[in-house]
Amino acid sequence: MNTFGHLLRLTTFGESHGPAVGGVLDGFPSGIEIQASLLETAMQRRRPDSPLSGSGRQESDQVEILSGIYQGISTGTPLAFLIRNTDARSSDYAAIENAFRPSHADDTYQAKYDFRDPMGGGRASARETAARVAAGAFATMFLQQASRIRIHAYTSQVGTVRLPGSVEPDWEKTYQYPSRCPHEETDREIQELLSRCRQEKDSIGGVVDCRISGLPKGLGQPLYDKLTARLAQAMMGLNAARGFEIGKGFAACSMKGSQHNDRWTADGKTEENICGGVRGGISTGEDLFFRVGFKPVASIGQEQYLLQQPGNRLVRQSIGGRHDVCCVPRAVCVVEAMTALALADFLLLDRSSTLLQHRPDSLLGGNR
Amino acid sequence: MNTFGHLLRLTTFGESHGPAVGGVLDGFPSGIEIQASLLETAMQRRRPDSPLSGSGRQESDQVEILSGIYQGISTGTPLAFLIRNTDARSSDYAAIENAFRPSHADDTYQAKYDFRDPMGGGRASARETAARVAAGAFATMFLQQASRIRIHAYTSQVGTVRLPGSVEPDWEKTYQYPSRCPHEETDREIQELLSRCRQEKDSIGGVVDCRISGLPKGLGQPLYDKLTARLAQAMMGLNAARGFEIGKGFAACSMKGSQHNDRWTADGKTEENICGGVRGGISTGEDLFFRVGFKPVASIGQEQYLLQQPGNRLVRQSIGGRHDVCCVPRAVCVVEAMTALALADFLLLDRSSTLLQHRPDSLLGGNR
Amino acid sequence: MNTFGHLLRLTTFGESHGPAVGGVLDGFPSGIEIQASLLETAMQRRRPDSPLSGSGRQESDQVEILSGIYQGISTGTPLAFLIRNTDARSSDYAAIENAFRPSHADDTYQAKYDFRDPMGGGRASARETAARVAAGAFATMFLQQASRIRIHAYTSQVGTVRLPGSVEPDWEKTYQYPSRCPHEETDREIQELLSRCRQEKDSIGGVVDCRISGLPKGLGQPLYDKLTARLAQAMMGLNAARGFEIGKGFAACSMKGSQHNDRWTADGKTEENICGGVRGGISTGEDLFFRVGFKPVASIGQEQYLLQQPGNRLVRQSIGGRHDVCCVPRAVCVVEAMTALALADFLLLDRSSTLLQHRPDSLLGGNR
Amino acid sequence: MNTFGHLLRLTTFGESHGPAVGGVLDGFPSGIEIQASLLETAMQRRRPDSPLSGSGRQESDQVEILSGIYQGISTGTPLAFLIRNTDARSSDYAAIENAFRPSHADDTYQAKYDFRDPMGGGRASARETAARVAAGAFATMFLQQASRIRIHAYTSQVGTVRLPGSVEPDWEKTYQYPSRCPHEETDREIQELLSRCRQEKDSIGGVVDCRISGLPKGLGQPLYDKLTARLAQAMMGLNAARGFEIGKGFAACSMKGSQHNDRWTADGKTEENICGGVRGGISTGEDLFFRVGFKPVASIGQEQYLLQQPGNRLVRQSIGGRHDVCCVPRAVCVVEAMTALALADFLLLDRSSTLLQHRPDSLLGGNR
C-alpha cells in the first residue's frame, strides 16, 4: 500500500540507504507545464539548511524525470521520477544491524516481514519524504495552473515554544526562517531551543500548522473519504505524526453548539469560519486550517539501551548516523506536498460528482 | 467513495429519511459464525437510551441480513444488510427544505452535487452510522473468532468534564453508563452537564478514547496506509470529528526524545508503552491507544439565522427535528465499529506480507 | 471483489435462493432523472419470455430503490437497490446439497471457502445478473442523458445457427425476437434448435454480438484499463463466457498489416473501421464492435454422474431445478448492462485526463 | 490506470523514446530470493533474436533494481526497477511528428490528452512491455518459490500457419525456437512466412496459447474478478490483442451441454478437463488453457496514407522506424509475464478468503 490517491495516484519506493528513492505519479493530467524551478525549490526546502535542525546528511536531491513529459509539458501518462541516494553511509549502521533501537520501527518491520533492510531505517526512514516532496511539487504545478488553491504550512510550535496566537504569520516568507516559523522572535527562540537540544544530544517534538486558501466549494467525497478524513490519513502517515486537528480541533470538544456554530453572512460565507473550511467533510470555499503534531525524533545521540538480536539482549550504546534534532522544520514542506497531492486528487474526483458542469469559475479552468 | 477498506470492504448507502440505510461487506471470510445477539447488542448500544443524550427518534434498528450466510455461517460472499428507517418524519424538515442551517453540510452538498436530499441532512446525517455499527459487529465477530484483538472505546470528556487521569476506567462496563464514561462520578457529572445543555437548547462537544488489546505485532501497511493513518482516516470520517491523537498525541510535541523514547524490557516489550502500540505505523503488539475529539452537534433548539435559498436571505428561526445534545455517548460504539473494520482489514492484508507463515500464534488461528 | 468500476462502482450481493439480490451503485452523478420505465423494461428483457429459452423460474424482479434519489432525481450519493427472490425453491436442491454437479462451480467454491451455500449455485448462479441489469439500467439513463452513446447487443449465433454475415440486423427490434436475434429467419431457426434441445434435455452455447455507437473519441485508460481490456474483463466475468473478440477478433490473426490497417478518410475517420472502434485501447469515435462466446449451460435434465461428498462417490442422477436451455437470449441484456456500466465509468474517468476541457460536444453535456 | 493487480500491484511508466521504462511492484512479499539469472533470461526472451521477427532496435535491456531487496532477498517493500532506453532514435519519427499513422494510437492519444509524445508511439509502444516482462520475472520467482504453478506460453499460429492439433508441443523448449512455436516443422514454416512478409514490407497476425499447470484449487475472485475475467483483462490490455479464449473458447458456442460438461473421475478430477481448468471463474486445480489472438502490427514499410495535422491532409508516405514483422514471437514471454503477475496476485488474495487455513499443501508453502 505504497500508493496515495484515487485518480491522482502517487506510488513511491526506496530505502534510506538503497540506490534511490522515487515515485510514479499516475493520473496526472496532460497539458501542465512542468516547471523545473518549482521542483528545485521544493527539494531545497526539504534539505537541512541549518546545522541546528538538520541531520548532516548531504544529498543533492537531484530529481530525474523519467517519463510523462514531452517538450516540457505533461502528456497524461505516468510521471516517474528518481532521486539517487548519493550520501548513504551504511557503515554508520553496521553496529545496529542486529539491534532494535528504541521507538524506531526496527522490530515492527522485522515482525511484519520476517526480514528487513536495517540500513538507516530502510523504508521507514524519513528519507522517503524526498519522493513525496517531488510529487507534491508536480501536484502544486497542477493546482497553480488549474485552480486558485494555495497551501501554506509553517512551524507553529517546537517543544514548549509556540507562535503566539496574536501573531499573524507571514506565510509568504516561511522558508526564509530556518525554523520555518514565519515570525522573527519565535523563530529565534526555536533556533535557540534546537541548539540546546543538539548540545544535549536530544531531540524534540513540535507542531506544523497548515492553511489552504482559494479552495472551491464542494471538494471532498462522502463518506469515508471526506476532506477531513483524507487529510488526516495523509498527515498521520508522515513519520513521527501523533496528532491531527482541523478547525478548532480538540478545543471544540469543550465548546457548546451555540458558540461553535458559524453565523452566516449575507453573501453566503461565515463571520468567523469556525468550522475551519469544511462542513460534512466537504470544503466550504473558505480557508481550511489543520494542524499536525509530531513527536520528538527517536534517534538521539545519548546512550540508550538497544535490544540486540537474537535473544533480546539489552545493550547500552549510543547510535551513530546523522539525524535531525527536530523533524518539524523539514516536515513543513512535506505537509504542503501531501496536502497538494490530496487536493489535486479531490479536484479531479470532483469533476465526476454531477451531471452538470456548473462551477466554471471555481474548478479547473478557474484561473485561465 | 462510500467504501472503506481494502480486502474487507464496507460500502454503505442510505439517507436519514429515505427508505433505509445499509451496507455491503465484501471480503468477509467464510467460516465465521454470525451471532445475532452480538449484532443486536451493537445496535442497541448505538440507540439513544437516555433522554439526556438522545435525539428522541425511535428506530427499532432491526438489521436484515440479505446475503452471505448459510445456516448461520458466513460463506465468503458479500454480506449485505438493511436497516429500514421507520421513524422518519419528513415534515420536521419541510421548513428548512430551501434553507442552509449553520454549520451543517446543507450548503456544501448543494454546492458539490447541485442537488440534494434536504430531509434530515440526507446522507450527511449520523443516521448512516447505523450501517457502520452493523458492519462493525460483523467485523467484531471475525476478530473474536480469529484473533485476540479486543476494542474498548469510552467517553473521556464532555465539555469541560474529564475522566480524571488517575482513574482506571472499567472498560467492561462502559455501556452500563448512560454517558459511556465508565466511572461513576464522571458519568454523573456528564449527565448533569448534558441535562443543563438540553434545558438551554444547546449542544456540547467531547472526546472518545479507545484502547485496543491483543493486537498481533506487525499490523499496518507502509507507507500511506499505516495503522495510524488508517485509524485517523476512519475516525476523521465520523460526523463532527475534529481531532485525532495516537499515543501521547499532541502532548508528545513538547517532549524530548530522551523522555518519549520507550525503554525496552528484556522480553522485547517496553516499560511504559509511550509509543502507544505503534512504531513506524505498524503495531508493536502492545496496547494501542487513540482519542477522537468531537465538536458540538450543529443542530440546536435555539433560534439561529438560516440562509434561505435562493438569494441567501438570513432568516431567524429555530430548527425542528430530533437531535442529540452531544454525539459522544452514541459515538463510542461507532468508534469501536470503525476500529474493528480497520483492524479486520489489516489482519487480512497482513497474510500477504511475507512468504513465510511465521506467526502462527499471533494471527488468524491464534486463539483456536 | 464483488465490485466493478473505478469511479462508477457497482457492488452486488445475493445468492440464488437467499432473501434477495441487489447492489450499490456508488459514484453515480447527481442530476440524472431516474426513469422507472427504463428500469422496468430492462428487467423484463432479462426475464424468460419464452418456454424455449427460459428456466421456468418466475420472478417478478421488482426493483426497490433504497437510496440515492430525491424527487426522482439522483443525488450523487450511493444508489442502492434490492430485488427480492420470491420464487426460490430450495427443495429442488436438497438432493444435491452434498454433491458436486459436473461443470458447475460447486466444488471450486467449496475448495475456495471451505463452505458454501449449495442452493441453486448460491452466488455463482446467473440469478445475480438481475442486479447487473438493474445497475446497467441506471448507467444507461446516465449515458442517454449525458452522451450520445447507444449500446445494441443481440444474439448472433446459437449452436451452429448463425446470423448470416450479409444480414444487417435490425438492432432496434432485438427484444421483439424471442431469441434476441434480430432477423426473422435466423430467430425462427434458433427457436427450433432450442426446442429440440429442450426435448433432448440438453443445453447449447452461442454468441452475443454488441455494437456501440455515439462514442466520443478518447475513452479508455492506458495501459491496464484499456477499453478492450475492461470490456473483456466485464464480459469474461459473465456466467458461461468462454471467449471475447473485438473488431476482427481472431480473424485478424491470419491477416496482414496491409489488409488490416485502416485507411483514413479526409474527415479523419476510416473507410471500413477495421479496428472496430478502438486504437491503442482508446475509442476512435467510430462504432465499436465486440463478441462474447458462451458455453452451453451446465445444468441439463439428462442423467449425469455427480460427485457425492464426502468421499467423491460417483452417483448417477438427473438434476432438478429450473434452468435455461441456452443462456444466450437472456445474456443479451446483461451484455448491454455491463457495457453501459463500463462506458459510464470511462466517461467519468475521462473528465480527469487533461487540464483542458476541450471536447464540449463529445463528452458530458454533449446532447443537451 | 497504469496499475495492474490488487495486492501485488504493478505500476509501470515510460515512453518508447523517453529516458527509460520501468515499474514499481508493490505488495511483493518478503523473503523471496531475487534471482538475477531468471530476470536476465526473461529479458532476453523478449529481445528480437532473429532478423525475421524483430524490429532491429538493439536495447541491452539492463534492469536496474532500485529498491525492495536487501542482500538478494525481497524485503516486502516496493520493488522498483528501471530499464534505460539506449537505442532510441527520435530522428526516425520527425517526419511523422504531426501525422497520424493508420491503425496506430496516434490520433486517439491526441484526442484523449490534447497533447502527446509522438516519438515511436510514446506510451502506446510495445517498448513498455519490457517493464511487464521484468515484473513478470519477479512474480515468477514468487510462484516458483511459493507454489507449484508453472506457466508455459507458445506461438500456436502465425497467419494461416497453425501448430497442428495432433502435436504435443514441447513447452520446455519453446524459447529455443525463433518463432516460439515449439514444434520444428511449424517453426520453420512460420519463419518462412515471416521472411516473406518482411520482403513484402508487410506484417502479419497470430495466436499465443498458454497452459498453466500446478494451480491450486480455489484461485479467482467472484464475481467481477474471476480468473477468466482477470486473465482476459491482462491479455486484452496487450498491444495488438484482439481476442481471448479460455478452455474450448468459441468452439464451445456450438457445443451441447451433454458434450461440454466434464465427467468426474473418482479422484475428484475430470476425464478431459473440457472446462479448461476453471469453473465459476475459480481454478479447478487442473491445467488451465487460454489463447490470445493478435492482429498484424500496424507499422509496415509499405507506402500508406497518413493523416497530416492540422487539417487532416492525406499524405502518402512510407514510415521509418524499426518494427516487428509479427508481434507474436515476442509476445509469448509477455503473455507469461502478465499471467504470472495475475496468478501471484490471486495467490495472495486467496489467503484472505476463509477463516481456516485449510489448504497447506496447495497454497503458499506448498513446495517447501
Side-chain angles (χ1 to χ4, degrees):
Chain A
M1 300 297 161
N2 290 271
T3 296
F4 180 79
H6 290 290
L7 281 181
L8 182 66
R9 289 171 301 280
L10 171 66
T11 302
T12 62
F13 60 84
E15 274 76 34
S16 181
H17 287 63
V21 297
V24 183
L25 191 59
D26 192 13
F28 195 76
S30 66
I32 311 287
E33 186 191 342
I34 303 302
Q35 299 149 300
S37 62
L38 197 158
L39 178 59
E40 198 179 332
T41 299
M43 297 309 292
Q44 274 175 348
R45 288 175 171 180
R46 189 189 154 276
R47 296 181 60 197
D49 67 348
S50 146
L52 296 176
S53 65
S55 69
R57 179 168 170 175
Q58 292 302 326
E59 290 287 356
S60 62
D61 285 346
Q62 200 67 36
V63 182
E64 184 188 6
I65 299 177
L66 297 167
S67 62
I69 63 172
Y70 182 69
Q71 298 180 341
I73 306 291
S74 68
T75 59
T77 60
L79 231 161
F81 57 92
L82 190 64
I83 306 159
R84 296 271 171 192
N85 292 327
T86 56
D87 192 26
R89 289 198 224 141
S90 297
S91 58
D92 287 353
Y93 297 95
I96 57 161
E97 186 167 353
N98 298 311
F100 299 153
R101 294 165 295 172
S103 294
H104 275 87
D106 299 333
D107 63 318
T108 52
Y109 269 70
Q110 181 69 36
K112 182 171 198 67
Y113 296 113
D114 212 36
F115 185 72
R116 71 192 167 99
D117 174 353
M119 294 296 113
R123 181 93 181 121
S125 164
R127 174 74 191 139
E128 184 269 349
T129 59
R132 303 191 194 209
V133 169
F138 297 124
T140 299
M141 296 173 207
F142 169 67
L143 292 179
Q144 289 186 357
Q145 293 174 44
S147 81
R148 283 189 286 264
I149 296 173
R150 299 298 176 266
I151 301 162
H152 292 289
Y154 54 94
T155 301
S156 66
Q157 178 184 338
V158 171
T160 53
V161 179
R162 286 181 174 82
L163 182 70
S166 56
V167 165
E168 179 78 346
D170 185 1
W171 302 314
E172 302 296 331
K173 299 189 178 157
T174 293
Y175 291 98
Q176 298 177 11
Y177 295 91
S179 72
R180 308 315 190 205
C181 179
H183 178 240
E184 204 167 317
E185 196 180 317
T186 315
D187 173 60
R188 195 173 50 239
E189 282 184 62
I190 293 174
Q191 288 194 58
E192 287 165 9
L193 173 57
L194 293 178
S195 180
R196 283 198 302 278
C197 282
R198 178 167 291 277
Q199 285 163 8
E200 296 164 2
K201 297 189 174 178
D202 213 337
S203 66
I204 196 154
V207 178
V208 174
D209 280 30
C210 187
R211 182 187 198 103
I212 306 161
S213 62
L215 276 168
K217 193 167 185 169
L219 292 195
Q221 291 284 324
L223 278 177
Y224 304 107
D225 209 17
K226 291 178 177 174
L227 204 45
T228 39
R230 180 81 80 90
L231 288 171
Q233 179 204 4
M235 297 307 143
M236 294 302 294
L238 297 180
N239 299 52
R242 290 276 127 174
F244 177 84
E245 292 183 314
I246 201 152
K248 296 286 177 198
F250 281 98
C253 302
S254 47
M255 291 173 75
K256 295 197 170 175
S258 54
Q259 298 173 283
H260 191 278
N261 277 5
D262 270 307
R263 280 168 298 281
W264 297 111
T265 58
D267 59 350
K269 299 198 180 307
T270 69
E271 286 182 10
E272 297 177 82
N273 188 14
I274 297 170
C275 279
V278 60
R279 281 195 285 277
I282 301 175
S283 66
T284 65
E286 298 185 78
D287 283 5
L288 192 150
F289 308 89
F290 67 83
R291 316 175 75 224
V292 194
F294 294 91
K295 70 177 182 72
V297 171
S299 295
I300 58 176
Q302 298 177 16
E303 280 202 344
Q304 299 176 104
Y305 282 102
L306 274 59
L307 205 61
Q308 192 72 30
Q309 299 306 310
N312 282 339
R313 283 172 299 116
L314 290 168
V315 177
R316 191 162 176 86
Q317 194 174 328
S318 73
I319 307 168
R322 299 149 292 168
H323 303 287
D324 292 343
V325 171
C326 178
C327 68
V328 167
R330 295 180 69 190
V332 167
C333 68
V334 187
V335 166
E336 288 183 348
M338 293 307 295
T339 304
L341 286 162
L343 294 178
D345 191 23
F346 276 122
L347 261 185
L348 294 173
L349 279 170
D350 204 50
R351 294 191 185 183
S352 68
S353 297
T354 174
L355 178 63
L356 304 170
Q357 295 179 315
H358 57 90
R359 288 157 303 182
D361 66 331
S362 59
L363 280 186
L364 300 188
N367 66 346
R368 329 200 104 222
Chain B
M1 302 296 162
N2 290 272
T3 296
F4 181 79
H6 290 290
L7 281 181
L8 182 66
R9 290 172 301 280
L10 172 64
T11 303
T12 61
F13 60 84
E15 273 75 37
S16 181
H17 287 63
V21 297
V24 183
L25 192 59
D26 193 13
F28 195 75
S30 67
I32 311 288
E33 187 191 343
I34 302 303
Q35 300 149 299
S37 62
L38 197 158
L39 178 59
E40 198 179 333
T41 299
M43 298 309 292
Q44 274 174 348
R45 287 174 171 181
R46 190 189 154 277
R47 296 180 61 197
D49 69 347
S50 144
L52 297 176
S53 64
S55 69
R57 179 168 170 174
Q58 293 300 326
E59 289 287 356
S60 62
D61 284 346
Q62 199 68 35
V63 181
E64 183 188 8
I65 300 177
L66 297 167
S67 63
I69 64 172
Y70 183 68
Q71 298 180 341
I73 305 292
S74 67
T75 59
T77 60
L79 231 161
F81 56 92
L82 190 66
I83 306 160
R84 296 273 171 188
N85 291 327
T86 55
D87 191 27
R89 287 197 225 144
S90 298
S91 58
D92 287 353
Y93 297 95
I96 56 159
E97 187 168 353
N98 298 312
F100 299 153
R101 294 166 295 173
S103 293
H104 276 86
D106 300 334
D107 63 318
T108 53
Y109 269 70
Q110 181 70 35
K112 183 169 197 66
Y113 295 113
D114 212 38
F115 185 71
R116 71 190 167 100
D117 173 353
M119 296 295 112
R123 181 89 181 125
S125 165
R127 174 74 189 140
E128 185 269 349
T129 59
R132 303 192 194 209
V133 169
F138 297 124
T140 300
M141 296 173 206
F142 168 67
L143 292 179
Q144 289 187 357
Q145 295 175 42
S147 82
R148 283 189 286 264
I149 296 173
R150 299 298 177 267
I151 301 162
H152 291 289
Y154 55 93
T155 301
S156 66
Q157 178 186 337
V158 171
T160 54
V161 180
R162 286 181 175 81
L163 182 70
S166 56
V167 165
E168 180 77 347
D170 186 1
W171 303 314
E172 301 297 331
K173 298 189 178 158
T174 293
Y175 291 98
Q176 297 177 12
Y177 296 92
S179 73
R180 308 315 191 205
C181 179
H183 178 240
E184 203 166 318
E185 196 179 317
T186 316
D187 173 60
R188 194 172 52 238
E189 282 183 62
I190 293 174
Q191 288 194 58
E192 287 165 10
L193 173 57
L194 294 178
S195 179
R196 283 196 304 277
C197 282
R198 179 167 291 277
Q199 285 162 9
E200 297 164 0
K201 296 189 176 177
D202 213 336
S203 66
I204 196 154
V207 178
V208 173
D209 279 29
C210 187
R211 182 185 198 105
I212 307 161
S213 63
L215 276 168
K217 194 168 185 168
L219 293 195
Q221 291 285 322
L223 277 176
Y224 304 107
D225 210 17
K226 291 179 177 173
L227 204 46
T228 38
R230 180 82 80 90
L231 288 171
Q233 179 203 4
M235 297 307 142
M236 293 303 294
L238 297 180
N239 298 52
R242 290 273 128 176
F244 177 84
E245 293 183 312
I246 200 151
K248 295 286 176 200
F250 281 97
C253 302
S254 47
M255 291 172 75
K256 294 197 170 174
S258 55
Q259 298 172 282
H260 191 279
N261 277 4
D262 270 307
R263 280 167 298 281
W264 296 112
T265 58
D267 59 350
K269 299 199 180 307
T270 69
E271 287 182 11
E272 296 178 82
N273 189 14
I274 297 170
C275 279
V278 61
R279 280 195 286 277
I282 301 175
S283 66
T284 65
E286 298 186 79
D287 284 6
L288 192 150
F289 307 89
F290 66 84
R291 319 174 73 224
V292 194
F294 294 92
K295 71 178 181 72
V297 170
S299 295
I300 58 175
Q302 298 176 15
E303 279 200 345
Q304 298 176 106
Y305 283 100
L306 274 60
L307 205 61
Q308 191 73 29
Q309 297 307 307
N312 281 340
R313 282 172 300 116
L314 290 169
V315 177
R316 191 164 176 86
Q317 194 175 326
S318 73
I319 306 167
R322 296 150 293 169
H323 301 288
D324 291 345
V325 170
C326 178
C327 69
V328 167
R330 296 180 67 189
V332 166
C333 67
V334 186
V335 166
E336 289 184 346
M338 293 307 295
T339 304
L341 286 162
L343 293 177
D345 190 24
F346 275 122
L347 261 185
L348 294 173
L349 279 170
D350 205 50
R351 294 192 185 184
S352 68
S353 297
T354 175
L355 178 62
L356 304 170
Q357 295 179 315
H358 57 91
R359 288 159 301 181
D361 67 330
S362 59
L363 280 188
L364 301 188
N367 65 347
R368 328 200 103 222
Chain C
M1 302 296 162
N2 289 271
T3 296
F4 180 79
H6 291 290
L7 281 181
L8 183 65
R9 291 171 299 281
L10 172 65
T11 303
T12 61
F13 60 83
E15 273 75 36
S16 180
H17 287 63
V21 297
V24 183
L25 191 59
D26 192 12
F28 195 75
S30 66
I32 311 288
E33 187 190 344
I34 302 302
Q35 299 149 299
S37 62
L38 197 157
L39 179 58
E40 199 179 332
T41 299
M43 297 309 292
Q44 274 175 348
R45 287 174 171 180
R46 190 189 153 276
R47 296 179 62 196
D49 67 347
S50 144
L52 296 175
S53 65
S55 68
R57 179 168 169 175
Q58 291 303 324
E59 289 288 355
S60 63
D61 285 345
Q62 199 68 35
V63 181
E64 183 187 8
I65 300 177
L66 297 167
S67 63
I69 63 171
Y70 182 68
Q71 298 181 340
I73 305 292
S74 68
T75 60
T77 60
L79 232 162
F81 56 92
L82 191 66
I83 305 159
R84 297 274 171 189
N85 291 327
T86 56
D87 191 27
R89 289 198 224 142
S90 299
S91 58
D92 287 354
Y93 296 96
I96 57 160
E97 186 167 353
N98 297 312
F100 299 152
R101 294 166 295 173
S103 294
H104 276 85
D106 300 334
D107 63 319
T108 53
Y109 269 69
Q110 181 70 36
K112 181 170 199 65
Y113 296 113
D114 211 36
F115 185 72
R116 71 189 167 101
D117 173 354
M119 294 295 114
R123 182 91 180 123
S125 164
R127 173 75 189 138
E128 185 268 349
T129 59
R132 303 192 193 209
V133 169
F138 297 124
T140 300
M141 295 172 207
F142 169 68
L143 293 179
Q144 290 187 356
Q145 294 175 43
S147 82
R148 283 189 285 265
I149 296 172
R150 300 296 177 268
I151 301 162
H152 291 289
Y154 54 93
T155 300
S156 66
Q157 178 186 339
V158 170
T160 53
V161 179
R162 286 182 175 80
L163 181 70
S166 55
V167 165
E168 180 77 348
D170 185 1
W171 303 314
E172 302 297 331
K173 298 190 178 157
T174 294
Y175 291 98
Q176 298 177 10
Y177 295 92
S179 73
R180 310 312 190 206
C181 180
H183 179 241
E184 204 166 317
E185 195 179 318
T186 316
D187 173 62
R188 194 173 51 240
E189 282 184 62
I190 293 174
Q191 288 193 58
E192 288 165 9
L193 174 57
L194 294 178
S195 179
R196 283 197 303 278
C197 282
R198 178 167 292 277
Q199 285 162 10
E200 296 164 2
K201 296 188 176 181
D202 213 335
S203 66
I204 197 155
V207 178
V208 173
D209 280 29
C210 187
R211 182 186 198 104
I212 307 162
S213 62
L215 275 168
K217 193 168 184 167
L219 292 195
Q221 291 285 323
L223 277 178
Y224 304 108
D225 209 18
K226 291 179 176 172
L227 204 46
T228 38
R230 180 83 80 88
L231 288 171
Q233 179 203 5
M235 297 308 142
M236 293 303 293
L238 297 180
N239 298 53
R242 290 275 127 175
F244 176 84
E245 293 183 313
I246 200 151
K248 295 287 176 200
F250 281 97
C253 303
S254 46
M255 291 172 76
K256 295 199 170 172
S258 54
Q259 297 173 282
H260 191 279
N261 277 4
D262 270 308
R263 280 167 298 281
W264 296 112
T265 58
D267 58 352
K269 299 197 181 310
T270 68
E271 285 182 12
E272 296 178 82
N273 189 13
I274 298 170
C275 279
V278 61
R279 282 195 285 277
I282 301 175
S283 66
T284 65
E286 298 185 78
D287 284 5
L288 193 150
F289 308 89
F290 66 83
R291 319 175 73 223
V292 194
F294 295 91
K295 70 178 181 71
V297 171
S299 295
I300 58 175
Q302 297 177 18
E303 279 201 347
Q304 297 175 104
Y305 282 101
L306 275 58
L307 205 61
Q308 191 74 27
Q309 298 307 307
N312 282 340
R313 284 173 298 117
L314 290 168
V315 177
R316 191 165 177 85
Q317 193 174 327
S318 74
I319 306 168
R322 298 150 292 168
H323 302 287
D324 292 344
V325 170
C326 178
C327 69
V328 167
R330 295 180 68 189
V332 166
C333 67
V334 186
V335 166
E336 289 183 346
M338 293 308 293
T339 304
L341 286 161
L343 293 178
D345 191 24
F346 275 121
L347 260 185
L348 293 173
L349 279 169
D350 204 50
R351 294 191 185 185
S352 68
S353 297
T354 174
L355 179 63
L356 304 171
Q357 296 179 313
H358 55 91
R359 288 159 302 181
D361 67 330
S362 58
L363 279 187
L364 300 187
N367 65 346
R368 324 200 105 222
Chain D
M1 300 298 161
N2 290 272
T3 296
F4 181 79
H6 290 290
L7 281 180
L8 183 65
R9 289 172 300 280
L10 171 65
T11 303
T12 62
F13 60 84
E15 273 75 36
S16 180
H17 286 64
V21 297
V24 184
L25 191 58
D26 192 12
F28 195 75
S30 67
I32 311 287
E33 188 190 343
I34 302 302
Q35 300 149 299
S37 62
L38 195 157
L39 178 59
E40 199 180 332
T41 299
M43 297 309 293
Q44 274 175 346
R45 288 175 171 180
R46 189 188 155 277
R47 296 180 61 197
D49 67 349
S50 145
L52 297 176
S53 65
S55 68
R57 179 168 170 174
Q58 291 302 325
E59 290 287 356
S60 63
D61 284 345
Q62 200 66 35
V63 181
E64 184 188 6
I65 299 177
L66 297 168
S67 63
I69 64 171
Y70 183 68
Q71 298 180 341
I73 306 292
S74 68
T75 60
T77 59
L79 232 161
F81 57 92
L82 192 64
I83 306 159
R84 296 272 171 191
N85 292 326
T86 56
D87 192 26
R89 288 197 225 142
S90 298
S91 59
D92 287 353
Y93 296 96
I96 56 160
E97 186 167 353
N98 298 310
F100 299 153
R101 294 166 294 173
S103 294
H104 276 85
D106 300 334
D107 63 319
T108 52
Y109 270 69
Q110 182 69 37
K112 180 170 199 67
Y113 296 113
D114 211 36
F115 185 70
R116 71 192 168 99
D117 174 353
M119 294 297 112
R123 182 90 181 124
S125 164
R127 173 75 190 138
E128 185 269 349
T129 59
R132 303 191 195 210
V133 168
F138 297 123
T140 300
M141 296 172 206
F142 169 67
L143 292 179
Q144 289 186 358
Q145 294 175 43
S147 81
R148 282 188 287 264
I149 296 173
R150 299 298 177 267
I151 301 162
H152 291 290
Y154 54 93
T155 300
S156 66
Q157 178 185 338
V158 171
T160 53
V161 179
R162 287 181 174 79
L163 182 70
S166 56
V167 165
E168 178 78 348
D170 186 1
W171 302 314
E172 302 296 333
K173 299 190 178 156
T174 293
Y175 291 97
Q176 297 177 12
Y177 296 92
S179 74
R180 309 314 190 204
C181 179
H183 178 241
E184 205 167 317
E185 195 179 319
T186 316
D187 173 62
R188 195 173 50 239
E189 282 183 61
I190 293 174
Q191 287 193 60
E192 287 165 9
L193 173 57
L194 293 178
S195 180
R196 283 197 302 279
C197 282
R198 177 167 292 276
Q199 285 163 9
E200 297 164 1
K201 297 190 176 180
D202 212 337
S203 65
I204 197 156
V207 178
V208 174
D209 280 29
C210 188
R211 181 186 200 104
I212 307 161
S213 63
L215 276 169
K217 192 168 186 169
L219 292 194
Q221 291 285 323
L223 278 176
Y224 304 108
D225 210 16
K226 291 178 177 173
L227 204 46
T228 38
R230 180 82 80 90
L231 288 170
Q233 179 203 5
M235 297 308 143
M236 293 303 293
L238 297 179
N239 298 51
R242 289 274 128 175
F244 177 84
E245 293 184 313
I246 201 151
K248 296 286 177 200
F250 282 97
C253 302
S254 47
M255 292 173 75
K256 294 198 171 174
S258 54
Q259 299 172 281
H260 191 278
N261 278 3
D262 269 308
R263 281 167 297 281
W264 297 112
T265 59
D267 59 351
K269 298 198 181 308
T270 68
E271 285 182 11
E272 296 178 82
N273 189 13
I274 297 170
C275 278
V278 61
R279 280 195 285 278
I282 301 175
S283 66
T284 65
E286 298 185 80
D287 284 5
L288 192 150
F289 309 88
F290 67 83
R291 318 176 73 225
V292 194
F294 295 91
K295 70 179 182 72
V297 171
S299 295
I300 59 176
Q302 299 176 15
E303 281 202 346
Q304 299 176 104
Y305 282 102
L306 275 59
L307 205 61
Q308 191 73 29
Q309 299 305 308
N312 281 339
R313 283 172 300 117
L314 290 169
V315 177
R316 190 163 177 86
Q317 193 174 327
S318 74
I319 307 169
R322 298 150 291 168
H323 303 286
D324 292 344
V325 170
C326 177
C327 69
V328 166
R330 296 180 69 190
V332 166
C333 66
V334 186
V335 166
E336 289 183 347
M338 293 307 295
T339 303
L341 286 162
L343 293 178
D345 190 24
F346 275 122
L347 260 184
L348 294 173
L349 279 169
D350 204 49
R351 294 192 186 184
S352 68
S353 297
T354 174
L355 179 62
L356 304 171
Q357 296 180 315
H358 56 93
R359 288 158 303 182
D361 65 332
S362 58
L363 280 186
L364 300 188
N367 65 347
R368 326 201 105 221

